[in-house]
Amino acid sequence: MMTVLLAIVAVLAAAGLAATIWASRDGAPRWVRGIAKATIATADVAVSMNKANRRRNNRYTSGSYSGDPGGGDGGSGS
């Protein structure tokens, strides 16, 4: 089932790419330009979500954040 879903997504991505290339040339029908706009908008959303996710994950992996606000060794502090 997952393979079928992945194949459908791949076909849609290929169709969106083809529509984007066709729309970049003169004389493309209006529906092709609409599909190209939707493809580009979807790509922009995916890129911005990826950037936000990287920024959020980077906040916790950079520096000396260990997840323990008390100093990291688990002791009582004395």
Side-chain angles (χ1 to χ4, degrees):
M1 180 65 188
M2 191 58 102
T3 306
V4 173
L5 183 62
L6 184 61
I8 291 171
V9 169
V11 167
L12 287 174
L17 175 63
T20 303
I21 292 171
W22 188 8
S24 70
R25 303 169 187 236
D26 291 333
R30 187 182 307 166
W31 64 270
V32 172
R33 290 192 303 266
I35 291 173
K37 283 183 183 180
T39 301
I40 292 170
T42 303
D44 288 342
V45 168
V47 166
S48 67
M49 287 176 60
N50 192 19
K51 282 183 183 179
N53 191 23
R54 251 186 290 141
R55 253 185 259 123
R56 186 173 52 247
N57 287 339
N58 217 8
R59 181 175 47 194
Y60 296 115
T61 57
S62 64
S64 61
Y65 180 80
S66 66
D68 183 19
D73 63 349
S76 63
S78 11

